[in-house]
Amino acid sequence: MLVLLPPSEGKAASGRGAPLKIGSLSLPGLTAAREAVLGELVELCAGDEEKAREVLGLSEGLRGEVAKNVELPAAGARPAGEIYTGVLYDALDLASLDAAAKRRAARSLLVFSGLWGAVRVTDRIPSYRCSMGVKLPGLGALAGHWRAPMAEVLPEAAGTGLVLDLRSAAYAAAWKPKGEVASRTATVRVLHAPTRKVVSHFNKATKGRIVRSLLASGTSPAGPAELAEALRDLGYVVEAAAPAKTGRPWSLDVLVDEVH
């Protein structure tokens, strides 16, 4: 099973250990694309601060993020699973999983990123600020920049098993499973059952809990239909819809009564 996650906007501070070794990150086929984004991001942030803030979509209160990006090549790195914070990652709570569940997380979780493309939770990275919606002056829209290298690398990473896609739309734009991979991909929405509307906060929290439940239980669904049954066994209310055409992902709606 491969689980595709969005990153978090807010991030923990960089570590005090060795700095980033970009060639040591998982999915080495993305190295050249990573180097291109990193180089341009650092150059942008080392220049006109106001322009950098505008390009990155940062408020006045986040001005310090520009200076942090300048130091990325030398900043200490720590596992991505510790860098990403926020509602989804609080609910997932990787640090409190037992050893077996942590090993499953290392194998199956893939976090998408405007700067790195995608990383495993064990990959050591520094804290940064660069969302997938950014348009860098030289590279243009990052989703478009990542599309070709992702198309080369991600099908192999997906292997032959289930792909559970929990990404937001901005990150999903960087890679859309196609063909045979799409047929074993499940996209998930979390809906407030009484209104059947998506609400951002509990959508993220429930997705974090879903991933945690799967990792902790050791469940390994073979495909989307099996995933729906596995989630029901874990106590979730799930409605599954097979695609109308072959080569399209399944849609799973997880219904939640309370917003929390």
Side-chain angles (χ1 to χ4, degrees), residues 44-45 47-56 58 60 63 66:
L44 169 71
C45 292
D48 185 328
E49 185 181 81
E50 292 305 317
K51 178 181 178 181
R53 266 205 319 127
E54 180 181 353
V55 170
L56 297 176
L58 301 177
E60 175 66 31
R63 181 179 294 273
V66 175

Side-chain angles (χ1 to χ4, degrees), residues 169-253:
Y171 291 90
W175 180 62
K176 295 183 179 180
K178 296 181 179 179
E180 188 271 334
V181 178
S183 67
R184 48 187 167 86
T185 295
T187 61
V188 173
R189 295 189 306 173
V190 180
L191 304 180
H192 185 211
T195 63
R196 300 193 72 82
K197 292 182 179 180
V198 174
V199 180
S200 178
H201 179 88
F202 83 92
N203 171 53
K204 294 176 182 177
T206 302
K207 285 180 177 179
R209 286 192 283 269
I210 285 171
V211 177
R212 182 179 177 86
S213 296
L214 291 169
L215 294 173
S217 68
T219 302
S220 185
E226 292 82 0
L227 171 64
E229 287 303 314
L231 291 177
R232 292 180 187 120
D233 290 344
L234 290 168
Y236 295 93
V237 178
V238 180
E239 296 177 353
K245 297 181 179 180
T246 58
R248 301 281 181 86
W250 283 57
S251 298
L252 269 61
D253 288 343

Side-chain angles (χ1 to χ4, degrees), residues 15-69:
R16 295 182 178 180
L20 168 74
K21 295 182 179 179
I22 202 164
S24 70
L25 298 178
S26 301
L27 309 177
L30 299 179
T31 299
R34 288 167 173 154
E35 290 174 339
V37 179
L38 178 61
E40 184 162 343
L41 179 63
V42 171
E43 181 179 357
L44 169 71
C45 292
D48 185 328
E49 185 181 81
E50 292 305 317
K51 178 181 178 181
R53 266 205 319 127
E54 180 181 353
V55 170
L56 297 176
L58 301 177
S59 66
E60 175 66 31
L62 294 173
R63 181 179 294 273
E65 298 293 294
V66 175
K68 184 169 72 174
N69 281 347

Side-chain angles (χ1 to χ4, degrees), residues 69-144:
N69 281 347
V70 176
E71 302 300 323
L72 283 173
R78 59 197 290 195
E82 297 176 13
I83 289 288
Y84 294 115
T85 59
V87 175
L88 188 155
Y89 291 90
D90 285 347
L92 174 53
D93 196 7
L94 286 169
S96 69
L97 292 171
D98 64 31
K102 286 179 178 176
R103 288 193 293 271
R104 288 190 282 271
R107 292 193 303 267
S108 63
L109 303 188
L110 198 62
V111 184
F112 275 62
S113 161
L115 176 52
W116 314 117
V119 292
R120 303 283 186 185
V121 292
T122 50
D123 283 331
R124 297 180 64 82
I125 60 173
S127 184
Y128 66 95
R129 194 74 175 215
C130 184
S131 70
M132 190 66 80
V134 164
K135 294 181 179 180
L136 290 176
L139 295 177
L142 288 179

